[in-house]
């Protein structure tokens, strides 16, 4: 690693890291991947026992290692497009690239784990971090940081047990903060909170860029007051926000997958579709307004009409992540006894070819 510059500002240290991308010599073991388009994508995994960032430009057939000089464990990542990515390491260092991993800037930041979110607003990149303090009996306390003038600044203190320093209307101590997103206006944001108590999972919303958060009351969720609710990431498509949830009824012993939709930036919500399953979903994917996928253990259900009808698809054994570019182009990441395999389909998941 060649350190080109060393800049001091506040509590942050920034340096530019030159990287020499090298093709892996062993099959990588991926834990996550994200395709940007049909050819370009990123992945997180390990090779030769070390955490790595990988990139591909041939649809996943060949992967290149990037950020080879970073030290520590990868705790979080955010891939915006083919060129821009942020990688958070356990030693409180956040790496950023704007040229597809050829060069990286390394910042010392006031967090070692948490969820990252960035958005390009008018040509300017704005970023937030949901700093996590680690789970305690299923609860994950959080603070909110925002990137202001190239410095990560604490803008919201979440609730902690026996603490009086929290911000007004603080994000709750209880529950796991599963995901958070911002709309293009960079002021409206959402955090999904999952709790291990019937009817207690919820949605928190801000309209001032994350300074103030309020629990969003969604009346139609009252019918799940006696059920355990799993929450998934929100998706903005064609001006609508789609929020999938799954409610477990321990009396009937089944799960109901429900798709909520808002057409007014999260102020009001309606139920658009639902279906019942015997198993808990691994993940729910919203590709666009009509094409949704629900991944179960070795099963994938799809709809191409906004939930009116559902179809079961066969997927490679051990699949734990699906990635869609459109309703035809899809990859599947599957676990094996020796690591992971990557599969590809160009007919919407009806047939699969193995990439590695």
């Amino acid at each position: 690693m060649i350190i080109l510059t060393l800049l001091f500002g506040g509590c942050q240290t920034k340096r530019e890291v030159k990287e020499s991308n090298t093709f892996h010599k062993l099959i990588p073991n991926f834990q996550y991947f994200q395709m940007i388009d049909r050819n370009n994508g990123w992945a997180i995994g390990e090779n030769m026992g070390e955490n790595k960032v990988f990139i591909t430009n041939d649809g996943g057939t060949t992967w290149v290692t990037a950020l080879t000089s970073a030290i520590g464990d990868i705790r979080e990542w955010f891939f915006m497009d083919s060129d821009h990515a942020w990688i958070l390491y356990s030693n409180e260092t956040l790496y950023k690239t704007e040229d597809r991993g050829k060069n990286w800037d390394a910042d010392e930041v006031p967090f070692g784990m948490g969820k990252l979110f960035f958005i390009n607003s008018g040509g300017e990149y704005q970023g937030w971090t949901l700093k996590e303090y680690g789970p305690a009996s299923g609860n994950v306390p959080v603070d909110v940081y925002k990137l202001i003038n190239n410095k990560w600044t604490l803008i919201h203190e979440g609730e902690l047990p026996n603490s009086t320093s929290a911000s007004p209307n603080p994000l709750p101590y209880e529950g796991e903060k599963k995901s958070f997103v911002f709309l293009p206006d960079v002021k409206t944001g959402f955090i999904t909170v999952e709790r291990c108590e019937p009817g207690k999972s919820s949605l928190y919303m801000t309209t001032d860029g994350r300074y103030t958060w309020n629990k969003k009351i969604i009346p139609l969720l009252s019918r799940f007051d006696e059920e355990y609710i799993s929450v998934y990431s929100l998706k903005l498509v064609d001006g609508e926000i789609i929020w999938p949830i799954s409610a477990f009824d321990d009396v009937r012993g089944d799960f109901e997958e429900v798709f909520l939709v808002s057409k007014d930036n999260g102020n009001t919500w309606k139920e658009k579709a639902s279906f019942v399953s015997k198993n808990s979903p691994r993940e729910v994917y919203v590709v666009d307004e009509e094409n949704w996928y629900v991944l179960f253990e070795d099963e994938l259900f799809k709809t191409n009409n906004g939930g009116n009808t559902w179809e079961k698809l066969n997927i490679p054994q051990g699949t734990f992540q699906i990635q869609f570019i459109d309703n035809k182009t899809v990859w599947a990441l599957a676990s094996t006894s020796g690591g992971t395999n990557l599969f590809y389909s160009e007919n919407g998941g009806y047939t699969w070819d193995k990439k590695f």
Side-chain angles (χ1 to χ4, degrees):
M1 178 178 66
I2 302 174
I3 302 178
L4 297 182
T5 58
L6 188 62
L7 304 178
F8 294 94
C11 64
Q12 292 180 282
T13 301
K14 178 175 285 189
R15 62 188 187 277
E16 185 180 359
V17 182
K18 287 286 188 179
E19 293 291 340
S20 176
N21 292 337
T22 56
F23 285 92
H24 66 81
K25 299 189 182 301
L26 298 177
I27 296 297
N29 184 14
F30 288 168
Q31 69 181 91
Y32 175 86
F33 78 108
Q34 181 177 327
M35 300 301 297
I36 304 300
D37 52 40
R38 287 176 177 267
N39 295 315
N40 299 290
W42 300 84
I44 299 293
E46 66 174 32
N47 193 2
M48 302 179 69
E50 296 183 356
N51 287 143
K52 298 290 185 182
V53 180
F54 297 88
I55 56 178
T56 183
N57 61 9
D58 60 6
T61 300
T62 306
W63 294 84
V64 175
T65 55
L67 196 53
T68 57
S69 59
I71 300 174
D73 295 326
I74 296 175
R75 290 289 179 82
E76 189 58 45
W77 50 84
F78 189 90
F79 302 121
M80 177 174 286
D81 52 38
S82 299
D83 294 317
H84 296 82
W86 290 261
I87 311 295
L88 177 63
Y89 277 77
S90 57
N91 60 357
E92 298 190 345
T93 302
L94 181 64
Y95 289 84
K96 177 186 73 173
T97 182
E98 297 180 330
D99 56 8
R100 193 170 167 73
K102 296 178 182 177
N103 300 285
W104 296 82
D105 286 334
D107 285 348
E108 292 181 9
V109 295
F111 43 84
M113 59 182 177
K115 292 177 172 60
L116 303 170
F117 188 87
F118 292 87
I119 195 168
N120 185 345
S121 177
E124 179 183 357
Y125 292 99
Q126 300 198 40
W128 296 262
T129 296
L130 196 64
K131 178 179 179 179
E132 298 175 345
Y133 286 93
S137 301
N139 301 311
V140 181
V142 296
D143 289 333
V144 180
Y145 283 78
K146 185 175 182 180
L147 189 59
I148 302 175
N149 296 325
N150 292 319
K151 179 181 178 181
W152 287 98
T153 304
L154 177 65
I155 62 172
H156 180 96
E157 288 187 84
E159 185 180 54
L160 289 171
N162 304 316
S163 174
T164 59
S165 63
S167 300
N169 296 325
L171 287 167
Y173 163 73
E174 294 85 1
E176 181 181 356
K177 288 65 183 177
K178 298 287 286 189
S179 66
F180 78 105
V181 297
F182 272 85
L183 302 187
D185 66 3
V186 305
K187 293 184 178 296
T188 307
F190 303 90
I191 295 176
T192 60
V193 180
E194 185 173 295
R195 295 181 59 179
C196 298
E197 300 176 61
K200 295 296 185 180
S201 295
S202 55
L203 180 70
Y204 278 74
M205 179 177 176
T206 182
T207 56
D208 62 8
R210 288 203 99 178
Y211 291 91
T212 305
W213 291 88
N214 292 285
K215 184 177 180 180
K216 188 63 185 176
I217 303 301
I218 305 177
L220 63 86
L221 290 183
S222 61
R223 72 181 178 93
F224 301 119
D225 281 348
E226 302 301 321
E227 301 180 25
Y228 297 86
I229 302 174
S230 298
V231 298
Y232 300 90
S233 297
L234 295 87
K235 177 79 171 184
L236 179 65
V237 290
D238 297 327
E240 294 185 352
I241 306 172
I242 300 176
W243 183 29
I245 67 170
S246 178
F248 174 66
D249 188 319
D250 58 359
V251 176
R252 298 194 311 265
D254 58 26
F255 299 82
E256 184 177 1
E257 283 65 66
V258 181
F259 292 81
L260 308 179
V261 62
S262 173
K263 296 184 178 182
D264 57 4
N265 291 341
N267 289 301
T268 60
W269 296 83
K270 294 182 179 180
E271 182 177 324
K272 186 171 184 178
S274 66
F275 76 97
V276 176
S277 67
K278 286 299 181 182
N279 298 307
S280 173
R282 282 178 175 262
E283 191 54 81
V284 181
Y285 305 92
V286 174
V287 178
D288 53 38
E289 188 176 2
E290 301 293 331
N291 293 277
W292 311 334
Y293 298 78
V294 182
L295 177 64
F296 296 93
E297 179 111 17
D298 294 328
E299 290 182 338
L300 181 66
F301 282 80
K302 68 172 290 187
T303 177
N304 59 6
N305 52 24
N308 290 323
T309 59
W310 291 86
E311 180 182 6
K312 178 182 175 182
L313 301 178
N314 292 320
I315 54 177
Q317 185 176 3
T319 294
F320 63 91
Q321 187 191 346
I322 299 287
Q323 175 72 52
F324 300 88
I325 297 302
D326 50 46
N327 63 342
K328 296 293 185 183
T329 310
V330 54
W331 291 261
L333 185 60
S335 60
T336 70
S337 58
T340 54
N341 292 144
L342 186 65
F343 296 85
Y344 173 74
S345 173
E346 55 185 1
N347 57 14
Y350 290 98
T351 61
W352 299 88
D353 293 320
K354 185 177 179 181
K355 288 288 186 178
F356 67 75

